[in-house]
Amino acid sequence: MTTDKLVLPSPPRPGSDFARLCRRITDAGLLDRRPGYYTARIALVTVLFAGGWVAFALLGDSWWQLAVAAFQAFMFGQIALLSHDLAHRQVFRTRRPAEIAGRLAGNLGIGMSYGWWMDKHTRHHANPNHEELDPDVDPDVLVWSQRQAREARGVPRFIGRHQALLFFPLLTLEGLNLHWSGIRAVARPGLRRRGLEAALLFTHIAVYLAALFIVLPPGLALLFFAVHQGLWGVYMGSIFAPNHKGMPTLTGRPELDFLRKQVLTSRNVAGGPVIDVLLGGLNHQIEHHLFPSMPSVHLRRAQPMVEAYCAEIGISYLRTGLVSSYRQTLRHLHEAGAPLRKAS
């Protein structure tokens, strides 16, 4: 386990600290389903998403299409956030309806494999910021610790030197990376309902590209594609980067219980209802990691309870502003790449 910025709390008291917190959260009704909320949210997102494509069809050959591209980048992000809630069983109690809705939203709606993402995200939740076990800190493009930097080869070694400066520009490619990761996932055996995932994914790609090149002239179609996919990638990266990047990373078999493992590797982002909508409730990352099936609309109410409980038992709890969270992320990326700059 890396030790920079991580101060281990005092040993837990007899019994489970998390069980005591869980009882408080349960007694407050914060794990109860919210079908009315999700019905309204899904309906609103569906109407806005469809309305964006209606505007696209009506505008035709117009430079206003770039505004539509930006709007649909936001809507792709909102659908991805809904898929996230579906995967965590926040919407439906049982797996089957969650998977059906998740594949329709993810694969068909935005061209992102629901099954691939769910597998990746489940492993992340089990071991957040663990350099060997969390796929979100794999050094495939960026390095997330100085240990990874010293061992880096190829692309991470080249990019890692100046990865803080390149981080947001690289996010413009994240949308394409999500598409490509889904294509790779359905091309390999092992993915659950692989045939269905592939059919929905390729239907999205075919319809999306056909719409662009039928409605728009080639040059404008390519520009729409670049703006839409680029902004979607930046939006997705901006949602997930503040959550764990720049927080302590773990290695080996750290002696941390569930509560401490989740709290000490996560960061909350302070803000009002607008931040909740933009980040889909994931600005309350600590509460989400402790209670993944909690409806996202309840996370704001759980936040002060969890923060107070952590103070009560002596666990460090980090909550900062949105801009500060990005600043901390970029500072961490710069520090992680230091061995590569010294070696060059």
Side-chain angles (χ1 to χ4, degrees):
M1 183 182 351
T2 59
T3 56
D4 55 317
K5 296 190 295 182
L6 179 56
V7 178
L8 292 178
S10 57
R13 297 172 295 172
S16 169
D17 286 328
F18 177 69
R20 283 185 282 272
L21 173 61
C22 193
R23 281 195 295 271
R24 297 183 187 183
I25 294 294
T26 303
D27 291 344
L30 298 181
L31 296 179
D32 295 347
R33 292 289 189 274
R34 290 291 302 272
Y37 163 77
Y38 276 110
T39 298
R41 181 176 166 188
I42 291 171
L44 178 61
V45 168
T46 301
V47 168
L48 291 175
F49 181 64
W53 289 120
V54 169
F56 170 82
L58 293 176
L59 279 172
D61 183 3
S62 167
W63 287 105
W64 283 106
Q65 292 285 16
L66 299 185
V68 176
F71 175 76
Q72 290 297 67
F74 172 73
M75 293 312 304
F76 266 46
Q78 288 295 307
I79 292 174
L81 289 168
L82 267 176
S83 298
H84 170 272
D85 288 10
L86 286 161
H88 280 296
R89 311 280 178 85
Q90 296 176 20
V91 184
F92 301 105
R93 190 176 301 275
T94 56
R95 185 175 70 182
R96 182 171 175 78
E99 288 185 345
I100 291 172
R103 289 190 177 101
L104 289 175
N107 294 59
L108 187 61
I110 60 176
M112 183 180 74
S113 169
Y114 173 83
W116 161 79
W117 181 86
M118 186 174 178
D119 173 72
K120 174 177 178 287
H121 196 62
T122 299
R123 289 184 285 130
H124 158 70
H125 265 263
N127 292 282
N129 264 23
H130 193 292
E131 294 185 27
E132 288 101 40
L133 301 174
D134 182 358
D136 287 357
V137 290
D138 279 345
D140 49 356
V141 176
L142 305 176
V143 294
W144 303 104
S145 70
Q146 293 194 0
R147 184 184 74 88
Q148 288 184 345
R150 285 189 289 268
E151 298 173 357
R153 299 291 182 271
V155 172
R157 185 173 186 83
F158 176 74
I159 291 179
R161 296 182 180 91
H162 306 291
Q163 58 184 14
L165 291 173
L166 296 172
F167 180 67
F168 281 104
L170 284 171
L171 287 183
T172 60
L173 302 175
E174 179 60 18
L176 296 179
N177 178 56
L178 292 173
H179 295 314
W180 178 240
S181 295
I183 292 171
R184 287 191 302 173
V186 300
R188 294 193 298 262
L191 184 69
R192 179 179 168 85
R193 303 300 298 273
R194 178 185 171 204
L196 176 60
E197 291 249 356
L200 292 173
L201 188 62
F202 287 107
T203 296
H204 167 87
I205 294 171
V207 171
Y208 175 82
L209 293 177
L212 259 59
F213 286 97
I214 289 172
V215 173
L216 304 177
L220 187 54
L222 291 173
L223 188 57
F224 183 101
F225 179 88
V227 171
H228 178 216
Q229 298 296 325
L231 289 180
W232 179 43
V234 171
Y235 183 33
M236 291 295 288
S238 298
I239 290 171
F240 288 96
N243 301 337
H244 302 280
K245 308 312 180 193
M247 297 301 291
T249 58
L250 309 177
T251 59
R253 299 180 61 182
E255 298 298 322
L256 293 174
D257 62 6
F258 175 79
L259 177 64
R260 288 160 176 80
K261 179 170 65 172
Q262 301 296 340
V263 174
L264 295 173
T265 60
S266 304
R267 176 197 296 111
N268 272 18
V269 175
V274 172
I275 295 295
D276 281 2
V277 171
L278 289 176
L279 302 187
L282 297 183
N283 44 310
H284 308 293
Q285 186 69 192
I286 293 172
E287 290 69 35
H288 170 62
H289 261 256
L290 291 172
F291 305 100
S293 64
M294 180 185 290
S296 57
V297 71
H298 286 169
L299 294 170
R300 171 171 288 276
R301 291 171 55 196
Q303 187 276 320
M305 295 176 62
V306 174
E307 184 174 15
Y309 184 74
C310 287
E312 178 184 323
I313 63 175
I315 298 178
S316 176
Y317 180 106
L318 180 59
R319 185 167 180 253
T320 186
L322 183 62
V323 173
S324 178
S325 72
Y326 294 136
R327 187 182 298 117
Q328 291 172 30
T329 297
L330 295 177
R331 184 184 304 118
H332 172 78
L333 286 170
H334 182 73
E335 292 171 356
L340 294 173
R341 292 190 298 275
K342 292 178 182 177
S344 61

